[in-house]
Structures are given as C-alpha cells and as structure tokens.
Amino acid sequence: GNANVPVALAAVPDGRLFYAELLTGSVRVVRDGRLIPEPFISLPIATALNERGDPRGLGLLGLAAHPDFSVNGLMYVLYTPSPEEVVVAHFEDRDEVGVEEIEVLRQPGNAGMHNGGRLRFASDGTLLITRGDNGMQQLVQDPDALQGKIMRVNPDGSIPDDNPDPESPIFASGDRNSLGIAVHPGTGAAFF
C-alpha cells in the first residue's frame, strides 16, 4: 500500500517479487506477500517533475532479473544518477540486500526528457534496453547516436557478435520513447 511510484517488476524463481520505485531510487522486495522493511538497494538518483507534478523520465527506470538469477543472484537496474546520465548496472542478491554494483553501461541523457529506460532479457540471454530520443527526434535514425534506440548487449555490456552491426549495441532504431518491452515466452520475439 505504500509503494512509491513503482515502475518495474521482476519476479525471481524462489517466488520473491522485486520492484523499482521511480522517485526514491529504491528496489524493494516482497516475500510471501509481505514487503521486506529494508530496500534491496537505494541508489542516488536525479529526479524531476514537470509543471503538472508528473515525473519527467528521471529516477530508477528499469529492472530485470538475470535469466540465471537462481544461480548468480544478479538484478539489473537502469537509473539516472544525474540529469545528463543513464546507467545500467547489476547488483548481486545476498540475503535480500544488493551488493557489489557492477556498471554495465553509462550513456548520455538529457535532463529527463524521454529517457525510455526499460530492461528485459531476451530468450537468448542478451539484455534489451530501451532508450528514448532525449527530446531530440532528429537522432532516432542516426546510426551514431544511442537516442531513440533499442539496444542489445550481453549481460556484461559487451556487444553480441550477431547484432545488426557487430560494433554497435544498437538493435533497432526509430523509437521516440519506448516505455515498454516484452519477450514472447514461446517464440522469443521481442516487442517494444
């Protein structure tokens, strides 16, 4: 009942549910229907509200459990440590506390304008990351810009050999501000 703007959920094999709070920078854990009092992690984040008081695309935006979470305990997050940066990192679950932040990617943002920020693991184990156009629509088709793209990286942030360009994390382009991503459980097709 006191969830503070939950924006992403990640269920893990042991039945726990992790959720990200947009404006607090906290990942919280629900076990057996009860909220664990202490956050899994609390990140220092930049946040902003527009003139109506709505969030502006800054904060803790994405969350995804590694496909082998039951073995490695890795939980991935996408957050904005400053208005000009977007970070993807993972933490290891140790007794419901996230430890050892490992940064996977750090990219430019734009004061919270259209950061996208959703994470999902594809059926092949790669990590899909949505990035908005940062309010610069002219960049969504630019192959040298990360804005307005869906990126596909290996769990360590390296670029998969079978990406459309094996030198680039860009998997798809032309998205204004993709706020959702899903992977079909049967076919493995990704939907943005």
Side-chain angles (χ1 to χ4, degrees):
N2 60 351
N4 195 341
V5 192
V7 293
L9 301 170
V12 297
D14 65 13
R16 289 179 294 159
L17 179 67
F18 290 69
Y19 70 87
E21 292 183 337
L22 176 68
L23 300 177
T24 68
S26 293
V27 173
R28 306 299 306 265
V29 180
V30 175
R31 181 179 10 98
D32 299 326
R34 296 184 188 268
L35 180 65
I36 306 274
E38 293 301 315
F40 175 72
I41 56 171
S42 289
L43 297 166
I45 57 166
T47 60
L49 302 176
N50 67 16
E51 60 280 353
R52 293 186 317 238
D54 299 326
R56 286 204 45 180
L58 292 174
L60 179 53
L61 300 168
L63 184 68
H66 189 283
D68 291 327
F69 183 88
S70 59
V71 175
N72 63 26
L74 297 181
M75 185 63 64
Y76 285 70
V77 296
L78 186 148
Y79 68 100
T80 58
S82 76
E84 292 77 31
E85 295 178 294
V86 175
V87 170
V88 176
H90 65 69
F91 293 81
E92 183 181 342
D93 176 27
R94 288 200 195 141
D95 300 319
E96 297 176 339
V97 174
V99 298
E100 295 185 23
E101 178 178 8
I102 303 294
E103 193 173 291
V104 176
L105 295 171
R106 182 177 292 263
Q107 299 173 338
N110 184 29
M113 179 66 119
H114 299 168
N115 274 323
R118 301 307 183 249
L119 302 174
R120 183 78 62 220
F121 277 92
S123 57
D124 64 1
T126 58
L127 180 62
L128 300 169
I129 305 163
T130 70
R131 284 300 314 278
D133 66 10
N134 291 143
M136 299 176 277
Q137 291 181 356
Q138 70 277 13
L139 296 179
V140 301
Q141 296 297 339
D142 182 342
D144 296 322
L146 298 175
Q147 290 87 350
K149 308 297 190 293
I150 306 299
M151 293 180 294
R152 179 176 174 257
V153 298
N154 291 314
D156 64 1
S158 63
I159 299 168
D161 294 336
D162 60 347
N163 264 11
D165 176 350
E167 304 287 320
S168 172
I170 296 170
F171 186 63
S173 61
D175 293 312
R176 177 177 173 262
N177 192 27
S178 190
L179 295 174
I181 186 170
V183 176
H184 190 281
T187 67
F191 297 90
F192 312 105

